[in-house]
């Protein structure tokens, strides 16, 4: 019995030793899992890059014609070929009547009838003095006085004709009516309203071409010159309008400390209006068909511009040399080639040879 118990105890001790030995054994080694950085990519391609100067400005006409009353009287706004009373926004052609001044005041101011009668009398007297002088019945002095009276009467009559003509206001240019028959407070004046001299009847300007006035600071002025192309944008329209730098001010604005530049804007559709606030993009230089990268594909490492090019399931860091560019794309002079695929998202943690996982489009 005692031998049996010793045998059992020996087995238990052996099992315990084996269990203890098993618990102290080192675990089986597992290979380290390498983390894959998620990135988005794009293909390197050719494109156009530009050096731009961006400014804001206000549109204005290239020139404005003002028609002011010089003869007091009753205002009558003209009508177009369809019988409609002219209104702001309507187009007129050179020579079209815009308004007339009528009434007794205008007639008296012109004095056309009285000056015509005076001219007829002076002309008859001059003719009579010539006949007498040629017949040796009149004096040369009387003939000279008659000639002077005739010249004075002729001047008065021509002045009356001019004053009468001033009562009819015609536009000297083709254009659009910007302002018509409004008082100093902007209130419209009805036909038949008595108007005095210096009353402004109309402002007319061509709108098929406008000018944007922009301000440039010193470094920008050094890059901008007359003849450069420009693009003009207004938030109300999706399209851009074509323009050109036509004039640079030779003087510095003493208040703004900027230089004024004038940019012509093609406006054949007449979508743009004087007074609009627009963005003007002057194209200083343009290069086409060059290797380009988006700004998102360029990282900075220790002061160097780099790109990460896909190499299988990893990326290869490339030092790149940049050329002309704007806020969106930039020319790459060296470091990548057309057809390379580069990372554009997830660059923050990328290193040379990092394992990657392409996500997105």
């Amino acid at each position: 019995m005692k031998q049996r118990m010793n045998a059992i105890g020996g087995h238990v001790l052996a099992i315990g030793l084996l269990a203890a030995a098993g618990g102290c054994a080192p675990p089986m080694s597992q290979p380290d899992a390498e983390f894959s950085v998620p990135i988005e990519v794009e293909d390197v391609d050719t494109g156009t890059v530009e050096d731009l100067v961006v400014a804001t400005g206000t549109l204005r006409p290239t020139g404005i014609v003002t028609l002011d009353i010089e003869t007091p009287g009753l205002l009558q706004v003209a009508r177009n070929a369809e019988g409609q009373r002219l209104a702001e926004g309507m187009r007129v052609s050179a020579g079209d009547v815009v308004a007339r001044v009528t009434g007794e005041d205008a007639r008296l101011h012109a004095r056309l009838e009285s000056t015509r009668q005076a001219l007829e009398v002076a002309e008859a007297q001059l003719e009579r003095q010539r006949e007498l002088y040629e017949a040796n019945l009149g004096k040369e002095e009387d003939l000279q006085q008659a000639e002077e009276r005739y010249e004075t009467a002729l001047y008065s009559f021509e002045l009356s004709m001019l004053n009468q003509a001033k009562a009819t206001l015609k536009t000297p240019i083709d254009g659009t009516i910007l302002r018509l028959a409004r008082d100093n407070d902007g209130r419209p004046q009805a036909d038949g309203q008595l108007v005095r001299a210096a009353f402004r009847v109309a402002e007319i300007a061509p709108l098929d071409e406008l000018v944007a006035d922009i301000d440039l600071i010193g470094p920008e002025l050094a890059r901008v010159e007359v003849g450069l192309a420009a693009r003009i944008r207004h938030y109300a329209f999706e399209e851009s309008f074509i323009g050109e730098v036509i004039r640079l001010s030779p003087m510095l604005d003493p208040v703004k400390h900027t230089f004024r530049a004038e940019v012509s804007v093609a406006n054949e559709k007449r979508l743009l209006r004087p007074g609009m606030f627009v963005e003007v993009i002057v194209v200083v230089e343009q290069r086409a068909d060059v290797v380009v990268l988006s700004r998102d594909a360029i990282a900075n490492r220790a002061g160097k511009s780099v790109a990460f090019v896909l190499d299988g399931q990893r990326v290869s860091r490339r030092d790149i040399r940049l050329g002309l560019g704007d806020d969106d794309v930039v020319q790459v002079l060296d470091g990548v080639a057309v057809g390379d695929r580069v990372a554009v998202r997830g660059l923050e943690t990328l290193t040379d040879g990092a394992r990657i996982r392409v996500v997105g489009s």
Side-chain angles (χ1 to χ4, degrees), residues 64-69 75-80 84-92 96-100 169-171 176-191 195 199-205:
I64 296 180
V65 167
T66 58
L67 301 180
D68 296 341
I69 291 293
L75 178 67
Q76 294 289 334
V77 175
R79 296 179 178 272
N80 61 15
Q84 298 174 321
R85 185 181 188 269
L86 294 182
E88 293 167 350
M90 287 186 175
R91 298 184 63 191
V92 290
D96 286 352
V97 175
V98 176
R100 294 182 174 87
L169 280 72
K170 298 180 180 180
T171 172
T176 300
I177 300 175
L178 304 181
R179 181 184 176 95
L180 179 64
R182 292 182 181 270
D183 63 15
N184 293 333
D185 296 324
R187 296 172 298 190
Q189 302 295 289
D191 288 346
V195 291
F199 175 76
R200 178 151 298 177
V201 175
E203 294 179 357
I204 300 170

